[in-house]
Amino acid sequence: MLTFVTQRLLQSVAVLFAVSIAVFLAVYAVGNPVDLLISPEATQAERAEMIARLGLDRPVWAQYLTFLGNALQGDLGTSFVHGQPALSLILSRIPATFELVVSALLLASIIGIPIGLWVGLNDGSLGARAVMTGSILGYSIPSFWKGMVLILVCAVWLNWLPASGRGDTVTVLGVPFSFLTVDGLRHMAMPVINLAIPNIALMIRLTAAGASESARMDYVKFARAKGVRDTRIVRRHILRNILIPIVTVLGVEFGSLIAFSTITETVFAWPGMGKLLITSIYQLDRPVVVAYVMLVTFIFVTVNLLVDFAYAALDPRVKLSERMS
Amino acid sequence: MTDPRTRKPVLEVEGLQTVFHDLEGAWPAINALDLTIYEGEVLGLVGESGSGKSVAGFSILGLIDTPGEITAGRVLFQGKDLREMDEESLRKLRGADLSMIFQDPLTTLNPVLTIGEQMGEAITEHGQADAEALRRRCIDTLTKVGITSPEERLSQYPHELSGGMRQRVVIAIALLNSPKVIIADEPTTALDVTIQSQIIAEMQRLQHDSGAALIWISHDLGVVAELADRIAVMYAGDIVEIGTTDEVLDRPRHPYTRGLLDSVPGDVPPGEPLRQIEGSAPPLNARPFGCPFHPRCAQATDLCRSSDPAPQGDGAGRIWRCHHPITAQEAA
Ligand SMILES: Nc1ncnc2c1ncn2[C@@H]1O[C@H](COP(=O)(O)OP(=O)(O)O)[C@@H](O)[C@H]1O
Ligand code: SF4
Ligand SMILES: [Mg+2]
C-alpha cells in the first residue's frame, strides 16, 4: 500500500510541475506584460527600468525558477486589479463554488443512481429506452443555453426563483454559505440544477450500463441459484460492483465541475471562482488567471488521487495488482 | 450398485420446453424434456456443446432470462410443481433443496465480495443463524470440500484463490444447505486435468456422504461414465437415450450415443485415430426436419428424414428415440 501511495503522490507532483511550466510559458513568456502595465507614452528608459524591476530581462528558466520558488511558498503573485494576493482572492471565492458543485453532484447522485439502476434492470423496456434517449439531451444541451432557458422560465415568466447572486448567507467558521438560508437555497436552485442536469444524465447512463452488464454476469445468476433475494442481489452484488465506476466518475466530475462551473457562475452571476476567472480575463489580471489555473490543477490532481485511493479501497482486485507490481 | 430406478423419484421433469426468442420467432432449446431423478443417484447428462444441457439445468431451477422463456412442462419436486410456485417459494427452494454448480469458477463468484459473505448469504437467505454458527458452518463445509486454512479463506476475495480452489468454494456453497438435488453444470470443464480428476473424486465422495441426487452435466462421456449411475444423452434439445451407465455404454441404442462412445479416447487402441461424429449440432433456428440427427447419421432412411422419432421404452426406464435403434447384436 505504501509504495502505491508514494507512487501516486509522485505522479501528482509531476503533473503539477508540468502544468506550472505550461502555464508559465503560456502566460509569462508569450506576450509581454509590460505593454499592458505601462502607458504607451512611457519613455524607453522607463520601459527598461520596468522590465528590469519585473525581472523580465532575465532568461526564461531563471524567471520560471523565481515563479516556482514563490509558488512553493504560496505566493502566486498579486492581483493587478485588486492589489491583494491572487491566491487568497481565489480562495475567498472557493466556498461559493464548492457549494454549487457539491450540491449539484449530490443531486445528480440522488436522482441519477436510482433511475439508472431501474433503467439497467429493465433493459430494453419502453420506459428504460425513453429515459436513455432523454438522457442524451441532458448532456448535449449547452450549459449557457440551459441556463438562459431556466432564467427565462423560472425567473422571468413564472417569477419563482431569483436569477442572480448568492442571496442571504450564514457565516460558519468565517465562511459564508447560502444553503443554510431559505433565500440562499432559492438562489442556489437554478445554478445547481443547471450544473446537475448533465451529471444526472451521466449518472443515469453510467449506472444503467453498469447494472445491466452486472445483471447478466454469472455471479448474479449464481446468487439467484443460491436463493438470494432480488433486493439483496441488487444491493450487494450489483450495486457493489458498479459503485467502483460511479465513485471514479463522481470524483472526476467534481474536479471538472470546479473548473467548468465558469459558465454557470457567469450566467447566474454567482460570485464563485469561475466568475472571478472570467472577470480577471477581461481585466487582463494575469496573476489571478495563473493562480486560478494552478489552484484548479491542484484540486483536480488531489481529487484524482483521492479517487484512486477510494478505488483501491472499493475494488479488492486493485490491491492485488499493486502488491504484485 | 443398485439400480437407482428402484428408489423414490425426487425430481420429475415432464414435457419441459424452453425457447429462445429472436426477431424471426421462438426457437426451442429444449423440447418436451422428460427426465426422472431418483433419490441419491448420479445422473449423467451428456451431449455435444449446444445440445441444450445448460438450458435444461437452468430451466429446472426456473432460471431462464429473456430472450429465453419456459413455455411448457412441469418440474415436480417432492410432488410439487416448481412452475406453479410463486417466485418467493421457488427462491426458498433454490440453494436449499435444489442447488447448482456452474461451469466457470472464475465468473461464478462475485469479484468484490469476500468468500465469507458469499457463503454466509446462502445460509442467511434461507433462515436465521448467529454469526458464530454461521462461521462454523462455512468453515466445516470448506473443510469438507478439501480447502486448507478455511478460516483465512472467509475473509479472502475470489481472485486470491486458484481456479480449482474457487470451484471448491462453489461446491461448498452448493452443499451448505444439504440439498436433495445438485445440478452440476460441467463443473470441471474449465479446470486443468489434474485438478479435474481431484474434483471428480471429491464430488463422488461428497455426493455419497450427503446422499443428494446429482445431475452431472458434461460434454465428455468418459467423465460421466466414471461417475454416473445412469446416463441421459441429449441431442438438439431432446433426450435421445436414457439407461443405466452399463446399459448405455455396453448396449447403446441410439446412433448418436454410439458416435459419442466411439469418440471417447479410452475405447480406442493407442495409435488409432479417434472417430469423431462428422458435422456438428444444429443451431436452434436450423433444426433439421424429421429426426434432427439425420444429416449426421449413417443409418438415416427416408423415414428419418420425414418424421421425428417418438421416444420408445422397454417399460423399465430404458428409453431411446430412433426409428432404427441399434440392436444388441449390432452393439456387441
Ligand atoms: N441466452 C441465450 N440466447 C439465445 N440462445 C441461447 C441462449 N442460451 C442458450 N442458447 C442456445 O440454446 C442452445 C443450447 O445451449 P446450452 O444449453 O448452453 O448448450 P450446452 O449443451 O452446451 O450446455 C444453444 O444452441 C444455444 O445457442
Ligand atoms: S431416427 Fe434415423 S436418423 Fe435418427 S438416429 Fe435413428 S436412424 Fe439415425
Ligand atoms: Mg453448457
Side-chain angles (χ1 to χ4, degrees), chain B residues 18 20 22 24 26-31 48-52 235-238 279-289 292-293 295-296:
Chain B
T18 299
F20 285 96
D22 69 9
E24 277 129 48
W27 311 100
I30 56 170
N31 263 320
E48 288 163 305
S49 155
S51 52
Y235 187 77
D238 290 323
S280 56
L284 292 190
N285 60 0
R287 183 187 164 89
F289 194 75
F293 188 57
R296 303 171 70 188

Side-chain angles (χ1 to χ4, degrees), chain B residues 88-240:
Chain B
E88 178 58 14
S89 320
L90 191 54
R91 179 192 72 75
K92 286 184 181 147
L93 277 183
R94 289 190 198 121
D97 285 328
L98 305 171
S99 67
M100 188 154 175
I101 299 165
F102 287 16
Q103 176 165 348
D104 186 355
L106 301 190
T107 59
T108 312
L109 295 171
N110 193 326
V112 299
L113 302 181
T114 60
I115 304 295
E117 175 166 0
Q118 299 190 59
M119 293 188 78
E121 69 178 0
I123 300 173
T124 51
E125 290 287 284
H126 292 290
Q128 296 289 323
D130 69 81
E132 193 39 47
L134 202 72
R135 239 180 98 74
R136 268 265 62 86
R137 222 160 118 191
C138 293
I139 291 173
D140 289 348
T141 318
L142 286 177
T143 311
K144 232 196 282 180
V145 298
I147 285 187
T148 51
S149 35
E151 295 98 295
E152 266 168 59
R153 306 293 173 203
L154 293 182
S155 56
Q156 286 185 319
Y157 290 92
H159 70 261
E160 299 175 72
L161 274 58
S162 69
M165 278 295 158
R166 286 190 231 185
Q167 194 62 305
R168 287 190 160 92
V169 170
V170 173
I171 293 169
I173 290 174
L175 291 172
L176 272 174
N177 294 312
S178 313
K180 305 273 190 316
V181 180
I182 304 170
I183 301 172
D185 187 2
E186 312 224 21
T188 61
T189 306
L191 305 173
D192 66 51
V193 186
T194 45
I195 309 285
Q196 187 168 342
S197 48
Q198 282 173 21
I199 292 210
I200 290 172
E202 261 156 36
M203 271 310 280
Q204 221 160 0
R205 179 176 55 77
L206 291 165
Q207 186 273 333
H208 186 265
D209 294 350
S210 72
L214 175 63
I215 302 178
W216 185 283
I217 296 175
S218 177
H219 65 277
D220 186 343
L221 192 52
V223 168
V224 166
E226 275 181 55
L227 274 168
D229 302 317
R230 289 193 307 139
I231 292 177
V233 180
M234 265 191 103
Y235 187 77
D238 290 323
I239 288 183
V240 295

